[in-house]
Amino acid sequence: MPQRLASPTRRARPAPADRALAKGQQTKAAIVDAALRIAAQVGLEGLSIGALAEVMEMSKSGVFAHFGSRDELQISVVREYYARFEAEVFHTALALPRGLPRVRALFEHWMRYTSAELDSGCIFISGAVEFDDRPGPVRDALIEAVTAWQEAMERAVAQARDEGHLVPDADERQITFEIHALILALHYDARFLQRPGSMARALRGFDNILARYGA
């Protein structure tokens, strides 16, 4: 008697609860993306559930349900901003060899990221102004993000010193401080004062740092 062929394996369909969860995550991601665009223009404090609901064509309660509080919305924006910053500034640079090639790539990627923000704004810079003297979870999230990338830059500078590309007594924290100062000056000079040549001056400033500390 011929054997019956086994039925082809059917791919299990996602359960309704799983589909609802995935859709909810997509909606939340879209809300955070819209909130990030708004915050880049008006700052984290300028975010409002009402304005976001209007942009998303949702009800206020629908937007609020994904976060539970304005603080949670702002924290989600900070974390998303950092995730994008990390991907564009650090991840590609870390593929380069340790030492000055990596440090230079980090600065150049940071410059490109900053130049793209000159028409909008930097969440880290505006957030520091808004929350510098306001303890709370949003300030904590900002500090955590800024500290994370500063420490990443410090590690890259320390590795450059250990590779012999910088003088033996080069202080990674001091050098990172000076590099960060260039970025802040660039943002102020180019965005606020709208002075031409700001990018070139920032690049010369970076070269001056390497000239002082180079081995």
Side-chain angles (χ1 to χ4, degrees):
M1 184 175 180
Q3 294 182 345
R4 295 179 61 184
L5 296 177
S7 300
T9 302
R10 294 184 179 180
R11 182 176 297 177
R13 293 183 178 180
D18 293 337
R19 290 199 298 271
L21 178 61
K23 184 177 180 180
Q25 291 172 337
Q26 292 173 356
T27 301
K28 183 174 182 178
I31 294 172
V32 171
D33 183 68
L36 183 52
R37 293 197 302 271
I38 294 173
Q41 296 287 341
V42 300
L44 289 169
E45 277 297 89
L47 276 177
S48 71
I49 298 293
L52 198 50
E54 184 176 349
V55 170
M56 295 297 299
E57 298 182 347
M58 297 173 61
S59 66
K60 291 182 181 180
S61 59
V63 173
F64 192 82
H66 287 279
F67 300 96
S69 71
R70 187 161 173 261
D71 279 358
E72 284 301 317
L73 170 62
Q74 292 170 325
I75 291 170
S76 296
V77 168
V78 171
R79 289 174 177 166
E80 177 62 21
Y81 180 83
Y82 177 73
R84 297 183 186 188
F85 180 90
E86 184 180 46
E88 293 190 33
V89 175
F90 286 101
H91 285 175
T92 51
L94 292 179
L96 295 174
R98 292 184 176 187
L100 283 186
R102 185 178 294 182
V103 173
R104 184 176 289 278
L106 285 171
F107 180 74
E108 290 175 353
H109 294 172
W110 196 358
M111 285 271 291
R112 283 200 295 270
Y113 198 87
T114 300
S115 65
E117 293 179 325
L118 294 180
D119 292 330
S120 54
C122 174
I123 299 295
F124 289 153
I125 294 175
S126 61
V129 174
E130 293 170 327
F131 293 92
D132 60 344
D133 58 352
R134 294 175 54 189
V138 180
R139 184 177 186 273
D140 292 343
L142 282 164
I143 289 175
E144 180 182 359
V146 172
T147 300
W149 60 252
Q150 283 191 341
E151 289 177 347
M153 178 63 85
E154 288 175 8
R155 284 194 298 272
V157 173
Q159 289 166 357
R161 180 194 60 215
D162 296 342
E163 293 290 328
H165 298 167
L166 301 175
V167 293
D169 61 347
D171 183 343
E172 63 269 23
R173 181 163 292 184
Q174 177 64 31
I175 294 173
T176 299
F177 180 90
E178 294 180 27
I179 292 174
H180 187 198
L182 286 175
I183 296 295
L184 294 177
L186 169 63
H187 204 275
Y188 192 93
D189 207 53
R191 177 170 164 77
F192 179 55
L193 300 178
Q194 297 184 351
R195 289 176 174 168
S198 301
M199 297 285 288
R201 281 191 289 275
L203 285 169
R204 284 198 299 272
F206 179 73
D207 289 337
N208 290 339
I209 291 173
L210 296 187
R212 290 202 314 274
Y213 294 103

